[in-house]
Amino acid sequence: MTRVFDRPEEFAETAIDGLVASHRQYLARVDGGVIRSTVTPENQVAVIIGGGSGHYPAFAGLVGPGLAAGSVCGNLFASPSTSQVFRVSKAAQRGGGVLLSYGNYAGDVLHFGEAERQLNEAGIPTRTVRVTDDIASAPLDQIEKRRGIAGDLTVFKVAGAAAERGDDLDEVVRVAEKANLNTRSLGVAFGSPTLPGAEEPLFTVPEGQFSLGLGIHGEPGISEHDMLSAKEFADLIVGKLLEDKPEAAGTRVAPILNGLGTVKYEELFVLYTHVERLLVEAGLEIVEPEVGELVTSLDMAGLSLTLFWLDDELETLWSAPADTPAFRKGAIASRDRIDESEIAAALVVETVDSTPAQQAAGSVANRLIEVVRATIEEHEEEFGRIDAIAGDGDHGIGMRRGAEAAAKSARESVELQRGVEQLVELAAENWAEKAGGTSGALWGAAITAVAKTLSSGEQPTAEQAAAAARAGLKAITDLGKAEVGDKTLVDALVPFVETFEARAAAGDDVATAFTTAATASREAAAATSELRPLKGRARPWPRRASATRMREPSPCP
Amino acid sequence: MTRVFDRPEEFAETAIDGLVASHRQYLARVDGGVIRSTVTPENQVAVIIGGGSGHYPAFAGLVGPGLAAGSVCGNLFASPSTSQVFRVSKAAQRGGGVLLSYGNYAGDVLHFGEAERQLNEAGIPTRTVRVTDDIASAPLDQIEKRRGIAGDLTVFKVAGAAAERGDDLDEVVRVAEKANLNTRSLGVAFGSPTLPGAEEPLFTVPEGQFSLGLGIHGEPGISEHDMLSAKEFADLIVGKLLEDKPEAAGTRVAPILNGLGTVKYEELFVLYTHVERLLVEAGLEIVEPEVGELVTSLDMAGLSLTLFWLDDELETLWSAPADTPAFRKGAIASRDRIDESEIAAALVVETVDSTPAQQAAGSVANRLIEVVRATIEEHEEEFGRIDAIAGDGDHGIGMRRGAEAAAKSARESVELQRGVEQLVELAAENWAEKAGGTSGALWGAAITAVAKTLSSGEQPTAEQAAAAARAGLKAITDLGKAEVGDKTLVDALVPFVETFEARAAAGDDVATAFTTAATASREAAAATSELRPLKGRARPWPRRASATRMREPSPCP
């Protein structure tokens, strides 16, 4: 279990602070993650990696020359937000474009995907390579659906090495995709991690058994079996990986034997003696193996083996020097440190000029957001209780944190005399980021869409308000793909928007139309047995121990 | 718990094989441990480190340019034997002498100490610096009695850096001693490791509590407390370390925050944010901190903080480049690989010329050793049962493994026509090495002493045989310091030797004197309630789960 922490909800952020504090020669802290603290040549492609926290050295421990340019760090086992990905990428990019690379999980796909769009829109050429190495997560003919586990190291390493030698973005993307297609992993799990403050582990594996293919956040595996000897584990895992050999596979392979947390080094080394023997018996040449903790899941008891199939090009890139906190190869000459004050300055949001009317509307929006925050705070427990029935019970805490961040941002915007559009846009970004998870992204997108539709800064007509509501709904369904009847918030939003539009068309004023629409929405929601966030469609992780049950650390003895 | 293994008794050896297999660019395997696989400049002092296995990256993961020249690898949590230390040192030394450096534990002191004597005798100048960083293990005015924990890294690193820049043995010893005097550590433990195949953990810490100062093999701590927050842990540990500040301490310090196995990286990073703050608040300058897993105890749940107090000289050596499997700093140019076949050749024991009479006596000794082996095998369970009452129950398995190794070595010596002296000497070495622990060392020393006293190769007289028995007893009491009445094997050996001497003086032949002495010994042993190895005085580790209860891994599903 996780034992050393202060407030559980600050654990992931503080861990990144401590990582940076103890590795200043490698890392600089930026809001949302870390970037290199050393000077990177201009026009080098920036390989930006990331995902949830709790997997050290993935991902922030892999930032440095020859590997990643930056890492976006989400909450524990949760995708980072779009704005985090955007900010880290913007801070790290050197003019050569950005490659976003991450494990293939729904939440990450959602947020990195949206950030890719925003980065390109902002004039920073950005591409994506998702890692899909876990052979337990989908059959070979659906390789694009596979999850990413410890094999992400091969993709990051190859992309980073290509960037380091000066390849352009197209070329970095090409070799990264090739690395991914030549990487296969399979894991086994014996026991679950326990999140800080949680009373229960994330999942369980029966005593004396192991789960084959169980994912690094408890995603379902293939099967459960009685324990094996080290030799038998090697036979099983190597056998299955060799059955799934890539089409282009030659006779050279880099094995990566990874411990997930509490399967320790000596056990991995014992297992590796068998892995090596089996690969040699299969006629393969072993190139620069790695054995250790490369992608962990806090204190999860498990291990995985990755086979990275090499040709000349991939071998050159795999063997190239790299210098990061947790992964080093060869020798890289020491580099000058960047001026860290410049990073923060580059990420400061400038206040856009606005009219007095837009500022007055911003003030109204600020008060509205405060009402939303207070309402959510009042109902936080209820949200958690409902969510705990079908999901992981963290919807209340997520909504509260999102609303608090939005309200704080809105207050600041009023002080800085921002207009309504920028105020709501920043509030939406903060909501998405701090609420986390899929529902954070959905609310962030909805609020942004509403703000853009209302951006004239004048008092909206009922038609304009209805159009804004429609835009918010569209943003949610575009992202989450839910339809009426899926028992999601769309079931309540659709009658709200339709009633609002009808009443506006009938000549009601904004307040009347809004009130009637809200009543229709409540009635529709009551007609469904349960109202919950869009988890069925876009939830990145399986259920985890309820965040609402988190405890404070015990007081001093 | 430890889950991935084959035969528990082969676990430690196989782990070293796997470590070497996955790090051939750094390590070469030698019988007894590892040495660098890269060429080291001639006349460089060889820093040889070591101790029990189960602490990776300590010790074999710290071998490479700028750090150790070799590591001696004992069984799990058990000191290596004298002959292992001797062989690894001999294989690694480059003509500049050897520094033996290890944590201050009785078993290691015994075996490294004897190896130091033998190496000097063999013309290899050898010195010792023991690490005594654990402030929980003895008060400051008895610093020489303190145990070594994660602070051994500072001593090894400083010694290795001094050797790398070409310092001579005196100078390497001087800076290593200085590093040790300026290193202080304190650990806390939450839970125990479980050895491969063992049913019980080594020790327990009550649920929801932690033990302050508990040692890395379960040695007693200072006190037990209710759990703390990360901030409170930092206050406690930093506070106690600052109270124990070395006399010569300046204002610069290198902190090492070490996880023992299942306290994971994120927890260490969270804790480090507080450690850094407290050190800065204390007016200290932080130099090149380390946060990670540097000395583990299999899957033990615990952590330690080391403060290494630096002056200019120590800072230079701490910051110098090093390149090993688990610890890297700066950049070291790649080096040529050694020819590994030469290592094995250098360690082959040459057969000493002997007379036919000596060979015939060797043949008799071989048969005698085989009788001893068979007798021990027959009583293995009984040895274990007796030992389990007062100790850890592994005496039976240890004695069997020692006797088997001795018998195998003796058979080979007969085939190679070795004389009795060399045959018994090699058998004794093998016994000591494979039996492990303190009793292995005691039996090894005793048999060696017997062999040297009988080395004429002629049929001994009763007086000569009695003198040999006396020499064996003396070797045991010299090493173990036990006296009659301590309830050790000395209680049975003293009457044996005294009776043997009396009967020989009275004119009995060897066989009669032996038989009478054996009877006296049995009677003396029966008069004590319990007979056990010399644990009370020279046992290096606390009790562990009984090795006689080790299980084989379950069969395939």
Side-chain angles (χ1 to χ4, degrees):
Chain A
M1 61 185 295
T2 300
R3 294 175 176 89
V4 182
F5 54 88
D6 298 301
R7 289 173 42 133
E9 60 268 35
E10 293 168 359
F11 181 81
E13 280 277 307
T14 309
I16 302 294
D17 291 341
L19 166 67
V20 173
S22 52
H23 294 85
R24 294 194 200 282
Q25 72 275 37
Y26 289 108
L27 303 178
R29 187 77 163 101
V30 292
D31 188 7
V34 304
I35 64 171
R36 294 180 193 168
S37 64
T38 54
V39 174
T40 301
E42 261 190 77
N43 295 319
Q44 185 176 105
V45 172
V47 177
I48 304 295
I49 62 177
S53 291
H55 302 298
Y56 190 84
F59 300 93
L62 302 174
V63 171
L67 233 158
S71 168
V72 197
C73 305
N75 207 335
L76 287 177
F77 300 166
S79 168
S81 73
T82 297
S83 51
Q84 283 181 300
V85 180
F86 183 88
R87 281 200 305 273
V88 171
S89 301
K90 192 176 168 199
Q93 66 85 27
R94 298 288 293 153
V98 169
L99 170 65
L100 300 177
S101 191
Y102 52 91
N104 186 36
Y105 294 90
D108 294 291
V109 172
L110 193 71
H111 296 102
F112 279 88
E114 173 62 12
E116 178 182 8
R117 196 189 61 69
Q118 292 182 8
L119 286 161
N120 279 305
E121 201 176 86
I124 301 169
T126 302
R127 305 270 298 276
T128 291
V129 176
R130 289 195 282 272
V131 183
T132 58
D133 58 313
D134 180 7
I135 70 167
S137 54
L140 185 53
D141 58 7
Q142 297 172 44
I143 192 169
E144 73 288 350
K145 291 191 183 166
R146 287 179 169 176
R147 303 182 293 244
I149 53 173
D152 54 13
L153 178 64
T154 71
V155 180
F156 301 162
K157 173 68 180 68
V158 160
E164 183 68 26
R165 72 180 177 193
D167 288 5
D168 67 15
L169 184 56
D170 282 349
E171 187 64 8
V172 172
V173 168
R174 185 185 67 77
V175 294
E177 280 173 348
K178 184 174 168 185
N180 183 50
L181 286 174
N182 283 286
T183 301
R184 300 285 191 273
S185 303
L186 180 61
V188 298
F190 310 112
S192 167
T194 303
L195 294 172
E199 286 172 10
E200 299 292 331
L202 276 186
F203 57 85
T204 54
V205 178
E207 181 71 25
Q209 299 218 309
F210 73 93
S211 170
L212 179 65
L214 187 137
I216 58 176
H217 322 89
E219 295 89 345
I222 301 171
S223 48
E224 292 188 347
H225 308 269
D226 288 342
M227 280 296 284
L228 299 179
S229 69
K231 178 181 172 301
E232 292 159 348
F233 273 123
D235 287 340
L236 174 69
I237 299 172
V238 172
K240 294 221 173 272
L241 288 174
L242 292 182
E243 279 170 22
D244 203 290
K245 196 156 79 162
E247 261 180 52
T251 59
R252 271 172 292 173
V253 72
I256 302 173
L257 187 53
N258 176 59
L260 280 151
T262 62
V263 172
K264 298 308 298 180
Y265 306 102
E266 287 83 357
E267 294 168 272
L268 296 174
F269 292 136
V270 166
L271 187 57
Y272 185 73
T273 62
H274 300 295
V275 169
E276 182 186 60
R277 176 178 48 76
L278 291 168
L279 295 176
V280 169
E281 282 172 9
L284 299 170
E285 182 193 341
I286 294 174
V287 179
E288 302 198 7
E290 290 289 334
V291 179
E293 299 187 352
L294 295 154
V295 176
T296 62
S297 276
L298 294 174
D299 61 329
M300 175 167 162
L303 61 92
S304 66
L305 177 66
T306 297
L307 295 184
F308 180 29
W309 297 85
L310 300 171
D311 60 9
D312 288 346
E313 180 177 50
L314 292 176
E315 180 173 345
T316 301
L317 293 163
W318 175 244
S319 305
D323 190 16
T324 76
F327 186 89
R328 297 190 61 185
K329 233 184 225 281
I332 284 194
S334 75
R335 297 194 175 176
D336 289 340
R337 296 275 286 272
I338 56 173
D339 179 350
E340 294 195 24
S341 62
E342 284 177 13
I343 309 168
L347 292 178
V348 164
V349 177
E350 282 180 28
T351 296
V352 176
D353 286 341
S354 57
T355 65
Q358 284 173 318
Q359 290 166 25
S363 201
V364 172
N366 173 44
R367 289 200 298 278
L368 184 61
I369 289 169
E370 173 55 27
V371 169
V372 169
R373 187 207 61 73
T375 308
I376 285 173
E377 186 180 30
E378 192 186 329
H379 295 281
E380 174 182 345
E381 232 170 272
E382 175 70 1
F383 288 143
R385 193 189 59 74
I386 298 172
D387 183 34
I389 296 167
D392 54 15
D394 67 354
H395 188 55
I397 198 174
M399 289 290 279
R400 175 175 60 76
R401 291 172 62 182
E404 278 175 358
K408 178 164 175 274
S409 163
R411 284 196 303 276
E412 285 168 7
S413 288
V414 169
E415 280 168 26
L416 292 163
Q417 301 190 305
R418 285 181 178 139
V420 66
E421 185 185 0
Q422 192 182 18
L423 179 148
V424 177
E425 194 184 313
L426 292 173
E429 262 179 29
N430 276 280
W431 184 309
E433 187 166 328
K434 300 297 179 200
T438 307
S439 66
L442 294 170
W443 282 102
I447 301 169
T448 305
V450 169
K452 288 204 170 154
T453 317
L454 293 177
S455 66
S456 73
E458 305 298 318
Q459 169 77 20
T461 62
E463 277 88 357
Q464 287 170 332
R470 169 65 68 185
L473 171 62
K474 183 170 184 302
I476 284 175
T477 53
D478 282 358
L479 259 181
K481 316 290 184 207
E483 292 164 18
V484 173
D486 285 348
K487 297 195 176 180
T488 72
L489 54 80
V490 172
D491 289 7
L493 268 179
V494 166
F496 174 86
V497 172
E498 288 176 353
T499 308
F500 206 147
E501 288 173 335
R503 294 320 307 160
D508 282 8
D509 64 14
V510 175
T512 310
F514 186 98
T515 308
T516 314
T519 304
S521 171
R522 259 198 301 278
E523 283 166 4
T528 70
S529 60
E530 197 186 316
L531 179 68
R532 55 191 172 107
L534 265 174
K535 297 201 169 167
R537 295 228 165 205
R539 176 83 197 159
W541 314 129
R543 65 180 60 192
R544 58 185 158 100
S546 169
T548 57
R549 290 196 300 269
M550 282 181 175
R551 66 168 173 81
E552 295 292 317
S554 322
C556 261
Chain B
M1 61 186 295
T2 300
R3 296 176 176 86
V4 183
F5 54 88
D6 298 301
R7 289 175 40 137
E9 60 268 36
E10 292 168 0
F11 182 80
E13 280 277 307
T14 310
I16 302 293
D17 291 341
L19 166 66
V20 173
S22 52
H23 294 86
R24 294 194 202 281
Q25 72 275 38
Y26 290 109
L27 303 178
R29 187 77 160 105
V30 293
D31 188 8
V34 303
I35 64 171
R36 294 180 192 169
S37 64
T38 53
V39 175
T40 300
E42 261 191 76
N43 295 320
Q44 185 176 104
V45 173
V47 177
I48 304 295
I49 63 177
S53 290
H55 301 298
Y56 189 84
F59 299 93
L62 302 175
V63 170
L67 235 157
S71 168
V72 197
C73 306
N75 207 337
L76 285 176
F77 300 165
S79 169
S81 72
T82 297
S83 51
Q84 284 180 301
V85 179
F86 183 88
R87 281 200 305 273
V88 171
S89 302
K90 192 176 168 199
Q93 65 87 25
R94 296 290 291 154
V98 168
L99 170 65
L100 300 177
S101 191
Y102 52 92
N104 186 36
Y105 293 91
D108 294 291
V109 172
L110 193 71
H111 295 103
F112 279 88
E114 174 62 12
E116 178 183 5
R117 197 190 60 71
Q118 292 181 7
L119 285 161
N120 279 307
E121 202 175 84
I124 301 170
T126 302
R127 307 272 296 275
T128 291
V129 175
R130 289 193 281 273
V131 184
T132 57
D133 58 314
D134 180 7
I135 70 167
S137 54
L140 184 53
D141 58 8
Q142 297 171 44
I143 192 168
E144 73 289 348
K145 291 191 182 165
R146 287 180 170 176
R147 302 182 293 244
I149 53 174
D152 54 14
L153 178 64
T154 72
V155 180
F156 302 162
K157 174 69 180 68
V158 160
E164 183 67 26
R165 73 180 176 191
D167 288 4
D168 66 15
L169 184 56
D170 282 348
E171 187 64 9
V172 172
V173 169
R174 185 185 67 77
V175 294
E177 279 174 348
K178 185 173 167 185
N180 183 50
L181 285 174
N182 283 287
T183 301
R184 300 284 190 275
S185 303
L186 180 60
V188 298
F190 310 112
S192 167
T194 303
L195 294 171
E199 287 173 11
E200 301 290 332
L202 276 186
F203 56 85
T204 54
V205 178
E207 180 71 25
Q209 298 218 310
F210 73 93
S211 169
L212 178 66
L214 188 138
I216 59 177
H217 322 90
E219 295 89 344
I222 301 171
S223 48
E224 292 189 347
H225 308 270
D226 288 341
M227 280 296 284
L228 300 178
S229 69
K231 178 181 174 301
E232 292 159 348
F233 273 123
D235 287 341
L236 174 70
I237 299 172
V238 172
K240 293 220 175 273
L241 287 174
L242 292 182
E243 280 170 21
D244 204 289
K245 194 155 79 163
E247 259 180 53
T251 58
R252 272 173 291 172
V253 71
I256 302 173
L257 186 53
N258 175 60
L260 280 150
T262 62
V263 171
K264 300 307 300 180
Y265 307 102
E266 286 84 357
E267 293 169 273
L268 297 174
F269 292 137
V270 167
L271 187 57
Y272 185 73
T273 63
H274 299 296
V275 169
E276 182 186 60
R277 175 178 50 75
L278 291 168
L279 295 177
V280 169
E281 284 172 9
L284 299 171
E285 182 192 342
I286 294 175
V287 179
E288 303 198 7
E290 291 289 334
V291 180
E293 299 187 350
L294 295 154
V295 175
T296 62
S297 277
L298 294 173
D299 60 329
M300 175 168 163
L303 62 92
S304 67
L305 177 66
T306 297
L307 295 184
F308 180 30
W309 297 85
L310 301 170
D311 60 11
D312 288 346
E313 179 176 51
L314 292 177
E315 181 174 345
T316 301
L317 293 164
W318 175 244
S319 304
D323 190 14
T324 76
F327 186 89
R328 297 190 60 184
K329 232 183 225 282
I332 283 193
S334 76
R335 298 196 175 173
D336 289 341
R337 295 274 286 272
I338 56 173
D339 179 350
E340 295 196 21
S341 62
E342 284 176 14
I343 308 167
L347 291 178
V348 163
V349 176
E350 282 178 29
T351 296
V352 177
D353 287 341
S354 57
T355 65
Q358 285 173 317
Q359 291 166 23
S363 202
V364 172
N366 173 43
R367 290 200 297 278
L368 184 61
I369 289 169
E370 174 53 29
V371 170
V372 169
R373 187 207 61 72
T375 308
I376 285 174
E377 187 181 29
E378 190 185 333
H379 295 282
E380 176 183 345
E381 230 169 275
E382 174 69 1
F383 288 143
R385 193 189 60 74
I386 298 172
D387 183 33
I389 296 166
D392 54 15
D394 68 353
H395 187 55
I397 197 174
M399 289 291 277
R400 175 174 62 75
R401 292 173 60 181
E404 278 175 358
K408 179 164 175 274
S409 163
R411 284 196 304 276
E412 285 168 7
S413 287
V414 169
E415 278 167 29
L416 292 163
Q417 302 191 305
R418 285 180 178 139
V420 65
E421 183 182 3
Q422 193 183 17
L423 179 148
V424 178
E425 194 183 314
L426 292 174
E429 261 179 29
N430 276 280
W431 184 310
E433 189 166 326
K434 300 299 179 198
T438 307
S439 67
L442 294 171
W443 282 102
I447 300 168
T448 306
V450 169
K452 287 204 169 153
T453 316
L454 292 178
S455 65
S456 73
E458 304 299 318
Q459 169 77 21
T461 63
E463 277 88 358
Q464 286 168 331
R470 169 66 66 186
L473 171 62
K474 183 171 184 300
I476 285 175
T477 52
D478 281 357
L479 260 182
K481 315 288 186 211
E483 292 165 17
V484 172
D486 285 348
K487 296 196 176 179
T488 72
L489 55 79
V490 172
D491 290 6
L493 268 180
V494 166
F496 175 85
V497 172
E498 287 176 352
T499 307
F500 206 145
E501 288 173 336
R503 296 318 309 161
D508 282 6
D509 63 16
V510 175
T512 311
F514 186 99
T515 309
T516 313
T519 305
S521 172
R522 259 197 301 278
E523 283 166 4
T528 69
S529 58
E530 196 186 320
L531 180 69
R532 55 193 172 106
L534 266 173
K535 297 201 170 168
R537 297 229 165 203
R539 177 81 193 159
W541 315 129
R543 66 179 62 193
R544 58 184 159 99
S546 168
T548 55
R549 291 194 301 269
M550 282 180 175
R551 66 168 173 82
E552 293 292 315
S554 323
C556 262

